[in-house]
PDB file of all heavy atoms in Angstrom:
ATOM      1  N   ALA A 310     -60.245  38.687  66.080  1.00  0.00           N
ATOM      2  CA  ALA A 310     -60.580  39.324  64.788  1.00  0.00           C
ATOM      3  C   ALA A 310     -59.465  39.079  63.772  1.00  0.00           C
ATOM      4  O   ALA A 310     -59.722  38.907  62.577  1.00  0.00           O
ATOM      5  CB  ALA A 310     -60.794  40.819  64.992  1.00  0.00           C
ATOM      6  N   ASP A 311     -58.228  39.003  64.261  1.00  0.00           N
ATOM      7  CA  ASP A 311     -57.089  38.737  63.382  1.00  0.00           C
ATOM      8  C   ASP A 311     -57.080  37.272  62.931  1.00  0.00           C
ATOM      9  O   ASP A 311     -56.859  36.952  61.756  1.00  0.00           O
ATOM     10  CB  ASP A 311     -55.795  39.064  64.148  1.00  0.00           C
ATOM     11  CG  ASP A 311     -54.562  38.656  63.382  1.00  0.00           C
ATOM     12  OD1 ASP A 311     -54.308  39.282  62.337  1.00  0.00           O
ATOM     13  OD2 ASP A 311     -53.874  37.699  63.802  1.00  0.00           O
ATOM     14  N   LEU A 312     -57.367  36.392  63.890  1.00  0.00           N
ATOM     15  CA  LEU A 312     -57.292  34.951  63.602  1.00  0.00           C
ATOM     16  C   LEU A 312     -58.450  34.469  62.730  1.00  0.00           C
ATOM     17  O   LEU A 312     -58.255  33.614  61.851  1.00  0.00           O
ATOM     18  CB  LEU A 312     -57.301  34.192  64.942  1.00  0.00           C
ATOM     19  CG  LEU A 312     -57.397  32.668  64.856  1.00  0.00           C
ATOM     20  CD1 LEU A 312     -56.161  32.097  64.162  1.00  0.00           C
ATOM     21  CD2 LEU A 312     -57.535  32.055  66.254  1.00  0.00           C
ATOM     22  N   PHE A 313     -59.635  35.002  62.985  1.00  0.00           N
ATOM     23  CA  PHE A 313     -60.862  34.466  62.397  1.00  0.00           C
ATOM     24  C   PHE A 313     -60.791  34.292  60.875  1.00  0.00           C
ATOM     25  O   PHE A 313     -60.975  33.180  60.371  1.00  0.00           O
ATOM     26  CB  PHE A 313     -62.039  35.341  62.816  1.00  0.00           C
ATOM     27  CG  PHE A 313     -63.320  34.584  62.919  1.00  0.00           C
ATOM     28  CD1 PHE A 313     -63.650  33.910  64.077  1.00  0.00           C
ATOM     29  CD2 PHE A 313     -64.189  34.536  61.845  1.00  0.00           C
ATOM     30  CE1 PHE A 313     -64.831  33.202  64.176  1.00  0.00           C
ATOM     31  CE2 PHE A 313     -65.370  33.827  61.932  1.00  0.00           C
ATOM     32  CZ  PHE A 313     -65.696  33.163  63.105  1.00  0.00           C
ATOM     33  N   PRO A 314     -60.486  35.359  60.116  1.00  0.00           N
ATOM     34  CA  PRO A 314     -60.443  35.186  58.653  1.00  0.00           C
ATOM     35  C   PRO A 314     -59.332  34.234  58.210  1.00  0.00           C
ATOM     36  O   PRO A 314     -59.498  33.511  57.224  1.00  0.00           O
ATOM     37  CB  PRO A 314     -60.190  36.599  58.129  1.00  0.00           C
ATOM     38  CG  PRO A 314     -59.774  37.415  59.296  1.00  0.00           C
ATOM     39  CD  PRO A 314     -60.254  36.740  60.527  1.00  0.00           C
ATOM     40  N   LYS A 315     -58.228  34.212  58.950  1.00  0.00           N
ATOM     41  CA  LYS A 315     -57.133  33.303  58.566  1.00  0.00           C
ATOM     42  C   LYS A 315     -57.559  31.849  58.745  1.00  0.00           C
ATOM     43  O   LYS A 315     -57.231  30.991  57.934  1.00  0.00           O
ATOM     44  CB  LYS A 315     -55.892  33.573  59.434  1.00  0.00           C
ATOM     45  CG  LYS A 315     -55.229  34.913  59.179  1.00  0.00           C
ATOM     46  CD  LYS A 315     -53.995  35.012  60.044  1.00  0.00           C
ATOM     47  CE  LYS A 315     -53.499  36.434  60.135  1.00  0.00           C
ATOM     48  NZ  LYS A 315     -52.621  36.620  61.286  1.00  0.00           N
ATOM     49  N   LEU A 316     -58.305  31.591  59.818  1.00  0.00           N
ATOM     50  CA  LEU A 316     -58.791  30.221  60.038  1.00  0.00           C
ATOM     51  C   LEU A 316     -59.842  29.861  58.993  1.00  0.00           C
ATOM     52  O   LEU A 316     -59.812  28.766  58.412  1.00  0.00           O
ATOM     53  CB  LEU A 316     -59.444  30.109  61.412  1.00  0.00           C
ATOM     54  CG  LEU A 316     -58.641  29.577  62.596  1.00  0.00           C
ATOM     55  CD1 LEU A 316     -59.577  29.318  63.760  1.00  0.00           C
ATOM     56  CD2 LEU A 316     -57.887  28.314  62.237  1.00  0.00           C
ATOM     57  N   GLN A 317     -60.763  30.811  58.770  1.00  0.00           N
ATOM     58  CA  GLN A 317     -61.839  30.567  57.800  1.00  0.00           C
ATOM     59  C   GLN A 317     -61.288  30.274  56.410  1.00  0.00           C
ATOM     60  O   GLN A 317     -61.901  29.557  55.624  1.00  0.00           O
ATOM     61  CB  GLN A 317     -62.763  31.792  57.720  1.00  0.00           C
ATOM     62  CG  GLN A 317     -63.866  31.781  58.751  1.00  0.00           C
ATOM     63  CD  GLN A 317     -64.705  33.040  58.645  1.00  0.00           C
ATOM     64  OE1 GLN A 317     -64.183  34.128  58.401  1.00  0.00           O
ATOM     65  NE2 GLN A 317     -66.008  32.912  58.842  1.00  0.00           N
ATOM     66  N   ALA A 318     -60.109  30.820  56.137  1.00  0.00           N
ATOM     67  CA  ALA A 318     -59.527  30.662  54.795  1.00  0.00           C
ATOM     68  C   ALA A 318     -58.933  29.262  54.595  1.00  0.00           C
ATOM     69  O   ALA A 318     -58.586  28.890  53.470  1.00  0.00           O
ATOM     70  CB  ALA A 318     -58.448  31.724  54.585  1.00  0.00           C
ATOM     71  N   ILE A 319     -58.798  28.486  55.666  1.00  0.00           N
ATOM     72  CA  ILE A 319     -58.242  27.129  55.515  1.00  0.00           C
ATOM     73  C   ILE A 319     -59.372  26.187  55.098  1.00  0.00           C
ATOM     74  O   ILE A 319     -60.339  26.008  55.850  1.00  0.00           O
ATOM     75  CB  ILE A 319     -57.606  26.636  56.841  1.00  0.00           C
ATOM     76  CG1 ILE A 319     -56.501  27.596  57.297  1.00  0.00           C
ATOM     77  CG2 ILE A 319     -57.069  25.218  56.683  1.00  0.00           C
ATOM     78  CD1 ILE A 319     -55.921  27.270  58.667  1.00  0.00           C
ATOM     79  N   PRO A 320     -59.296  25.592  53.909  1.00  0.00           N
ATOM     80  CA  PRO A 320     -60.373  24.686  53.485  1.00  0.00           C
ATOM     81  C   PRO A 320     -60.535  23.546  54.488  1.00  0.00           C
ATOM     82  O   PRO A 320     -59.550  22.981  54.974  1.00  0.00           O
ATOM     83  CB  PRO A 320     -59.881  24.160  52.134  1.00  0.00           C
ATOM     84  CG  PRO A 320     -58.885  25.172  51.656  1.00  0.00           C
ATOM     85  CD  PRO A 320     -58.243  25.732  52.890  1.00  0.00           C
ATOM     86  N   GLY A 321     -61.798  23.233  54.817  1.00  0.00           N
ATOM     87  CA  GLY A 321     -62.059  22.125  55.731  1.00  0.00           C
ATOM     88  C   GLY A 321     -62.244  22.557  57.183  1.00  0.00           C
ATOM     89  O   GLY A 321     -62.603  21.743  58.030  1.00  0.00           O
TER      90      GLY A 321
END
Side-chain angles (χ1 to χ4, degrees):
D311 173 68
L312 173 64
F313 210 85
K315 292 183 196 161
L316 263 191
Q317 273 178 322
I319 302 174

